[in-house]
Amino acid sequence: MRYQQHILLILGFLGSYLVHSQDGKIVEKEKLILSDSVIAKIHKADSTMIAALEKIEFYRITYLSDSLKIKGFIAKPIGKGSFPCIISNRGGTGEFGQWTETGIGFFLGKLASWGYVVVASQYRGNDGSEGQEEAGGKDINDVLNLVTTLNEIDNADTSRIGVEGASRGGMMTYLALKNTCAFKAAVVLAGAANAFKQLTNRPDFEEHVYSKYIPDYYENKEEALRARSAVFWADQMCKTTPILLMHGSSDWRVTASESLELVNKLYEYKHPIRFMLFEGADHGIREYRDQYFAQTKSFLDHYVRDLNDLPNMELHGR
C-alpha cells in the first residue's frame, strides 16, 4: 500500500511539473491589424506615431499560465535584428483598464517604436482568459510567465528584459520584482503601493475591487492587503532592478503619498530608485505626457537596451 501511495505521489508531482513546464507557451497567435478608426484616434493623440506604426506588427496571443489559457498581445518592430524586451502591465481590474485596440496601438506601439519587443497580458478571467482575476494574487504568474513567452518570439533578446506598469499595473510590477531578478529595469507610473491607504482614500474599493476579486477577502483582509502593498515588503524587491517611479501630485485615483512612502522605504534599503513628482499632474500624467515618455525611454535604454552598470547607492562624493 505504501509503495502504491509513493508511486501515486511521484506521478502527481510529475503531472504537476509537466503541466507547469508549459507555462508561457503560446498556443494561439493571430495578426492584429489596427482599424482605420483606431489609427485616426492615434493620429489625433500623437501624429508622429503614424509613421512609426508602419514599422510595427501586432499580434493577439493566447499563452499558458498555471495551465490556464490567458489572452495577451505582442507589439514588435518589423524586420531583422535582436531587440530588447518590455513586459507591459495594464492597470485596472476586470474590463476597466483592459487592453483595447487603441491602447495596444498607441501605448504598446509607442514602446515597440523605440526598438523593443513588447508583450502584455489581460490577466486571467478577462477578455476570454480562463481562471479568476485576483487583483495581485495568483494572477501575478500571468506576468511572470511572459518572460518564458518572450523566448518564443523571433528577434526577442531575453537577456535584456524590462518591465513597466501603471496604477494596478504598477502593483503588478512591484510584485514581479518581489518574485524575480529577471528584469534589467522597471518603470512605474502612479503605482498602487499601499492598499490600506487606497481603502481610506477610496472606500468604494472594498466593495467594487477588493472583495470582488480577492479570494476570501473578509476572512483574510489584513493579510491580503499587505500582500498587495509594496511598502510592507520593499526590502524584498530585487535590488539589481533599478526603478523609475513617476507620479502626478494631483492624482486622485492613487495619491502620490503612496509613492512617496514607498520611495522612502526604497531609499532606506538602498534600492536604485529615481523618483519624479509632476506638479499638478493627474493619474496618467497627461499634462506632461511627452516628458513621461521621454523619461521612460531614456531609463529603459540606459539599463535594458545598453545594459549600463547599476549606480553606487552608498553615500559617497566629496
Side-chain angles (χ1 to χ4, degrees):
M1 179 64 71
R2 288 184 179 178
Y3 176 77
Q4 291 177 330
Q5 291 176 335
H6 187 62
I7 292 297
L8 289 173
L9 187 61
I10 292 175
L11 289 175
F13 280 125
L14 181 61
S16 177
Y17 170 77
L18 290 175
V19 168
H20 289 289
S21 67
Q22 297 294 304
D23 283 344
K25 179 179 177 61
I26 297 175
V27 294
E28 295 177 8
K29 180 179 178 181
E30 63 174 337
K31 197 155 191 177
L32 171 61
I33 305 297
L34 301 180
S35 66
D36 291 341
S37 61
V38 164
I39 291 176
K41 288 181 182 179
I42 294 174
H43 182 270
K44 184 176 181 180
D46 184 353
S47 60
T48 64
M49 277 294 295
I50 301 306
L53 288 175
E54 296 177 358
K55 302 175 183 178
I56 301 166
E57 53 189 356
F58 300 91
Y59 295 90
R60 297 181 187 272
I61 62 170
T62 302
Y63 68 101
L64 299 180
S65 179
D66 296 342
S67 77
L68 299 170
K69 293 181 178 179
I70 308 298
K71 302 300 181 181
F73 304 93
I74 298 171
K76 61 191 290 284
I78 296 172
K80 298 180 180 180
S82 181
F83 302 106
C85 309
I86 300 171
I87 292 176
S88 182
N89 298 320
R90 54 157 282 203
T93 50
E95 293 184 359
F96 180 77
Q98 74 177 11
W99 290 113
T100 63
E101 190 177 326
T102 301
I104 294 163
F106 179 75
F107 191 74
L108 300 188
K110 172 77 76 172
L111 300 179
S113 74
W114 299 340
Y116 290 84
V117 171
V118 185
V119 291
S121 177
Q122 288 286 40
Y123 309 138
R124 60 190 62 188
N126 296 308
D127 196 22
S129 301
E130 294 179 344
Q132 177 61 48
E133 182 176 1
E134 296 186 3
K138 293 180 181 177
D139 45 13
I140 184 57
N141 291 336
D142 303 343
V143 174
L144 298 173
N145 285 321
L146 285 174
V147 173
T148 303
T149 300
L150 285 167
N151 287 319
E152 299 197 22
I153 301 175
D154 293 340
N155 302 337
D157 180 355
T158 54
S159 70
R160 296 182 291 165
I161 306 176
V163 61
E164 71 85 30
S167 194
R168 178 270 179 92
M171 177 189 68
M172 300 298 275
T173 300
Y174 296 144
L175 284 166
L177 300 192
K178 183 183 178 185
N179 281 271
T180 182
C181 284
F183 305 112
K184 301 301 183 184
V187 177
V188 174
L189 167 62
N194 187 332
F196 297 96
K197 189 168 288 186
Q198 183 86 167
L199 191 56
T200 299
N201 294 330
R202 300 181 64 183
D204 60 303
F205 254 50
E206 185 128 66
E207 176 184 357
H208 300 298
V209 178
Y210 294 155
S211 63
K212 182 177 180 180
Y213 293 104
I214 298 175
D216 304 317
Y217 171 70
Y218 288 110
E219 291 78 11
N220 303 285
K221 177 177 176 177
E222 181 82 15
E223 180 182 356
L225 295 184
R226 286 180 69 91
R228 291 160 174 80
S229 302
V231 295
F232 294 106
W233 34 264
D235 60 321
Q236 299 177 45
M237 287 195 281
C238 181
K239 285 189 176 181
T240 58
T241 303
I243 301 171
L244 167 61
L245 173 52
M246 294 178 279
H247 214 126
S249 67
S250 298
D251 181 358
W252 66 267
R253 292 186 179 275
V254 179
T255 62
S257 61
E258 291 191 39
S259 286
L260 288 165
E261 184 180 8
L262 180 60
V263 166
N264 281 326
K265 293 285 186 181
L266 293 171
Y267 170 72
E268 178 184 348
Y269 300 128
K270 293 183 172 58
H271 193 122
I273 174 76
R274 182 181 301 176
F275 178 57
M276 302 185 70
L277 183 64
F278 288 84
E279 66 278 13
D282 66 4
H283 191 53
I285 312 185
R286 286 180 295 179
E287 295 89 342
Y288 300 92
R289 179 158 285 179
D290 288 346
Q291 290 186 45
Y292 162 73
F293 280 127
Q295 291 294 331
T296 298
K297 182 180 185 302
S298 175
F299 198 80
L300 292 173
D301 285 351
H302 185 78
Y303 288 111
V304 180
R305 187 191 67 184
D306 300 337
L307 297 176
N308 280 294
D309 293 336
L310 294 174
N312 177 9
M313 297 303 295
E314 298 297 331
L315 299 179
H316 63 280
R318 296 181 179 178

